[in-house]
């Protein structure tokens, strides 16, 4: 890590990286937002157990912070949308693709799963396995492993035995996948899951997201006002140019 003693210097560094990515320019990075982004970034960079349990009410920025932190770390953010996935088929297809990309093609991925999308018990069960042993048992058949090895597009991988390939696959998966679950502090869903699967607590780093402070609200308001003023000035300038053109034609 590079030690930065002044918070203003940290903020300046983050904004320069955001500018270089050409993303998130419309977001307001108040102090608490910067703290959350860098905290999540440290979780992602953990050598072991780099997973997060994010607890907070809706619209507190949980998913956005994960996306920004993941981009800063070079991780692709993948979000599961399965609120209506009653039989688990959508999740099964989704998680197979994520695991194959991370394990088979060695791609770093941040997997975001929101509370509302855990509509089937299979989802939380599979997350439990990924958190504890780094793989979902019996997800692939022997034929699937052979097919993935053959279609890897990597000559050195194709010459491996099936056992060597599976071991390499699992190692890549543990190294590359970061799981971030977002829950509301209200209701019984989180309590129920934690009682059944303590790994949700034991194998993650918990972050609590509170209401935005007054300083943050002011920064957001000022950003909005500045943007509106720019739009108004631009419209005035365009009207002035149109008026000048009309005068020349007359």
């Amino acid at each position: 890590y590079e030690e930065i003693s002044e918070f203003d210097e940290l903020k300046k560094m983050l904004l320069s990286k955001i500018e270089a990515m050409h993303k998130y320019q419309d977001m307001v990075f108040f102090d608490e937002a910067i703290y959350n982004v860098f905290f999540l970034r440290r979780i992602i960079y953990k050598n072991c157990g780099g997973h997060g349990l994010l607890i907070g009410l809706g619209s507190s920025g949980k998913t956005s912070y994960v996306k920004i932190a993941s981009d800063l770390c070079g991780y692709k953010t993948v979000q599961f949308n399965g609120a209506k996935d009653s039989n688990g088929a959508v999740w099964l297809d989704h998680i197979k693709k994520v695991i194959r990309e991370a394990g088979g093609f060695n791609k770093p991925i941040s997997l975001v799963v929101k509370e509302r999308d855990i509509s089937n018990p299979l989802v939380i069960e599979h997350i439990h396995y990924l958190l504890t042993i780094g793989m979902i048992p019996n997800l692939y058949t022997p034929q699937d492993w052979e097919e993935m090895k053959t279609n890897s597009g990597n000559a050195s991988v194709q010459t491996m035995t099936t056992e060597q390939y599976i071991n390499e696959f699992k190692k890549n998966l543990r190294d590359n996948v970061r799981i971030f679950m977002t829950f509301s502090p209200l209701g019984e869903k989180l309590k129920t899951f934690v009682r059944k699967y303590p790994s949700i607590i034991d194998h993650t780093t918990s972050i609590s997201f509170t209401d935005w402070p007054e300083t943050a609200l002011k920064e957001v308001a000022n950003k909005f006002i500045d943007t509106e003023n720019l739009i108004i000035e631009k419209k005035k300038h365009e009207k002035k140019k149109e008026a000048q053109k009309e005068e020349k034609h007359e």
Side-chain angles (χ1 to χ4, degrees):
Y1 293 102
E2 180 183 350
E3 184 177 354
I4 298 177
S5 56
E6 298 294 333
F7 188 83
D8 288 342
E9 189 179 344
L10 183 70
K11 184 173 184 176
K12 185 178 179 181
M13 184 190 76
L14 174 63
L15 293 178
S16 68
K17 289 181 179 291
I18 294 296
E19 186 178 354
M21 288 194 295
H22 303 292
K23 297 171 73 175
Y24 312 114
Q25 280 94 342
D26 293 333
M27 290 189 65
V28 179
F29 289 92
F30 47 87
D31 291 355
E32 285 74 10
I34 294 171
Y35 170 81
N36 287 326
V37 167
F38 276 97
F39 193 16
L40 287 165
R41 188 168 177 261
R42 290 197 69 176
I43 293 174
I44 292 171
Y45 274 143
K46 288 178 71 174
N47 292 329
C48 181
H51 310 293
L53 175 63
L54 317 183
I55 302 172
L57 298 175
S59 303
S60 56
K62 300 184 292 295
T63 304
S64 297
Y65 296 144
V66 171
K67 289 179 180 178
I68 296 167
S70 298
D71 278 342
L72 290 172
C73 297
Y75 276 64
K76 173 185 174 182
T77 303
V78 176
Q79 186 172 339
F80 173 61
N81 297 305
K84 298 179 180 179
D85 182 29
S86 57
N87 62 4
V90 177
W91 164 257
L92 200 57
D93 181 62
H94 176 83
I95 198 61
K96 278 187 173 182
K97 289 178 181 176
V98 170
I99 288 177
R100 184 169 185 177
E101 189 171 354
F105 296 100
N106 204 20
K107 302 291 185 183
I109 293 175
S110 290
L111 172 62
V112 178
V113 180
K114 294 185 176 183
E115 175 184 343
R116 69 171 184 231
D117 294 315
I118 308 176
S119 55
N120 187 284
L122 192 66
V123 177
I124 200 69
E125 181 183 338
H126 282 178
I127 289 175
H128 160 73
Y129 284 127
L130 289 171
L131 292 175
T132 52
I133 62 175
M135 183 60 187
I136 300 170
N138 304 316
L139 186 66
Y140 298 114
T141 65
Q143 292 77 16
D144 290 333
W145 287 115
E146 282 296 331
E147 182 185 338
M148 288 190 291
K149 182 165 74 78
T150 303
N151 297 332
S152 64
N154 188 324
S156 62
V157 169
Q158 291 168 344
T159 58
M160 291 179 178
T161 65
T162 302
E163 185 179 356
Q164 288 173 331
Y165 175 69
I166 292 173
N167 290 335
E168 181 71 15
F169 186 101
K170 289 180 178 179
K171 180 185 179 300
N172 290 341
L173 183 61
R174 286 192 297 270
D175 291 342
N176 287 323
V177 168
R178 299 292 183 264
I179 299 171
F180 292 95
M181 294 169 286
T182 69
F183 282 92
S184 168
L186 306 177
E188 296 296 318
K189 207 165 190 178
L190 177 58
K191 296 176 185 177
T192 302
F193 288 149
V194 168
R195 280 195 293 267
K196 190 171 183 179
Y197 299 105
S199 58
I200 295 173
I201 296 290
D202 296 340
H203 293 266
T204 63
T205 301
S206 299
I207 308 179
S208 179
F209 292 80
T210 57
D211 292 339
W212 288 3
E214 186 176 345
T215 52
L217 295 173
K218 286 181 179 178
E219 285 191 55
V220 173
N222 289 333
K223 172 82 172 181
F224 177 77
I225 291 169
D226 290 342
T227 303
E228 287 296 306
N229 287 339
L230 283 173
I231 293 172
I232 292 169
E233 288 299 321
K234 186 178 179 181
K235 287 181 178 179
K236 285 182 179 179
H237 182 67
E238 289 173 351
K239 285 182 180 180
K240 187 176 180 181
K241 284 177 70 176
E242 289 175 3
Q244 288 173 344
K245 285 181 182 179
E246 291 176 0
E247 288 178 4
K248 285 181 182 179
H249 287 307
E250 290 176 359

